[in-house]
Amino acid sequence: MAYEMLVLDIDGTLTNSKKEISKKTKEAILNTQARGHHIVLASGRPTPGIMPLAKELLMDQFGGFVLSFNGAKVINCNNNEVIFQKVIPLELLPEIYQAAIEEKVGIISYDDTSIITASEIDEYIEKESKINHMPIKAVDDFISYINYPINKCLMTGEPKYLAKVEKRMKLRFGDKLSIYRSEPFFLEIMPLHIDKAHSLEKLLDTLHMSREQMISCGDGYNDLTMIQYAGKGVAMGNAQKEIQEAADYITYSNDEDGVAHVIDKFILV
């Protein structure tokens, strides 16, 4: 099977521990695009946190795709066309916010430029700000400030405690929202039935391609569905144990150019 699409998670996959794309990986991705293959960056990050990397990889010129907010939004880098989008029902926002208050965890969402929160700014909210190069905008009233469509909220907290919060949130909202952790300290609050695989299916339909033509690479819990869904699901050497167990292939770590290795082995052959 010829693989025509390469889907890459960003943090822990495309980027190394310094949150940078290494020279070797960048060259491999540029070569892949020059040969006519599609690149998709699929991340829990908000769109503004992904676009600088897409630009660095010349995806606007080659016509790659960005799948942001864990798949709640998919855009064509070539013309910024929104191919697929799903938003959180705004009537649920007060209850989501109240749950965060009760659980004593941080809660954030996003606008076009900033991370929005009314919570006390914890180390994890600061981390999200740093990862995405987006400033934190502290607002007095989270619910009245967010009067526009949002693709996700994010709860933040100490990992062991947040694992317990995750179970309670699933019991409380499981029939209305998709809830899962992308990092031990990040709990994603997403529109119902949204994950990376679901949105990749929408993208493949648009491009008249099959999942057998797709390789997906990832390292975290939110990559599990796309690794299971892809024609070839690849776990990074640094991936969580469950992710490696679900993968068809385990490549080198994100600090050892694991993505470049996948390209050399399966695409540019």
Side-chain angles (χ1 to χ4, degrees):
M1 169 60 72
Y3 296 108
E4 299 298 334
M5 178 182 284
L6 177 63
V7 183
L8 302 170
D9 168 55
I10 294 178
D11 300 293
T13 301
L14 171 67
T15 59
N16 59 23
S17 300
K18 295 177 185 169
K19 300 288 180 192
E20 296 168 348
I21 306 171
S22 74
K23 187 167 178 284
K24 185 176 178 181
T25 293
K26 184 176 172 179
E27 282 175 1
I29 291 169
L30 292 175
N31 287 339
T32 300
Q33 293 180 109
R35 293 259 293 262
H37 301 274
H38 297 287
I39 296 290
V40 182
L41 299 185
S43 175
R45 289 189 188 196
T47 313
I50 302 176
M51 294 315 282
L53 294 170
K55 229 171 179 54
E56 186 183 339
L57 296 171
L58 307 183
M59 288 169 62
D60 50 338
Q61 296 174 36
F62 285 111
F65 300 90
V66 160
L67 187 155
S68 51
F69 302 108
N70 282 310
K73 194 169 193 178
V74 182
I75 65 169
N76 183 336
C77 297
N78 198 231
N79 53 14
N80 287 326
E81 177 197 356
V82 177
I83 290 167
F84 172 75
Q85 174 163 234
K86 199 165 180 188
V87 296
I88 290 177
L90 273 184
E91 64 269 19
L92 289 180
L93 194 62
E95 198 184 339
I96 294 167
Y97 183 70
Q98 185 56 38
I101 300 294
E102 288 169 15
E103 295 287 1
K104 298 183 172 60
V105 292
I107 183 164
I108 62 172
S109 194
Y110 311 84
D111 63 17
D112 289 340
T113 57
S114 310
I115 289 166
I116 309 301
T117 190
S119 307
E120 189 179 319
I121 296 169
D122 62 22
E123 64 183 289
Y124 308 114
I125 295 174
E126 286 180 346
K127 197 177 186 78
E128 178 72 349
S129 168
K130 196 175 169 195
I131 288 168
N132 291 292
H133 304 287
M134 291 171 74
I136 300 165
K137 188 186 285 184
V139 297
D140 293 331
D141 188 335
F142 190 75
I143 295 156
S144 63
Y145 182 87
I146 296 175
N147 59 0
Y148 50 87
I150 55 169
N151 299 104
K152 82 164 185 175
C153 290
L154 186 72
M155 290 183 180
T156 62
E158 185 276 321
K160 278 186 181 163
Y161 179 65
L162 203 60
K164 293 172 186 168
V165 174
E166 178 181 12
K167 287 176 183 163
R168 291 193 287 268
M169 289 297 113
K170 282 179 172 171
L171 285 172
R172 188 165 176 172
F173 295 105
D175 59 337
K176 301 177 200 146
L177 296 162
S178 285
I179 293 166
Y180 45 83
R181 279 186 299 161
S182 54
E183 297 281 358
F185 41 78
F186 286 157
L187 182 61
E188 309 275 338
I189 312 295
M190 304 289 305
L192 193 60
H193 304 315
I194 284 295
D195 58 37
K196 292 184 181 183
H198 178 83
S199 306
L200 286 167
E201 186 178 10
K202 300 282 186 194
L203 176 59
L204 287 168
D205 286 349
T206 305
L207 298 172
H208 307 294
M209 291 172 64
S210 73
R211 63 195 185 114
E212 285 76 27
Q213 293 171 282
M214 179 174 85
I215 299 178
S216 292
C217 302
D219 72 303
Y221 297 117
N222 60 330
D223 299 318
L224 181 61
T225 60
M226 74 172 189
I227 284 171
Q228 291 171 326
Y229 177 71
K232 188 167 288 291
V234 177
M236 304 301 289
N238 51 287
Q240 315 274 1
K241 185 168 176 281
E242 299 95 307
I243 309 307
Q244 292 193 353
E245 286 170 356
D248 302 310
Y249 183 78
I250 299 168
T251 186
Y252 304 142
S253 79
N254 63 321
D255 285 325
E256 300 167 307
D257 295 302
V259 167
H261 175 68
V262 169
I263 289 169
D264 290 343
K265 188 170 177 67
F266 297 112
I267 297 177
L268 299 181
V269 289

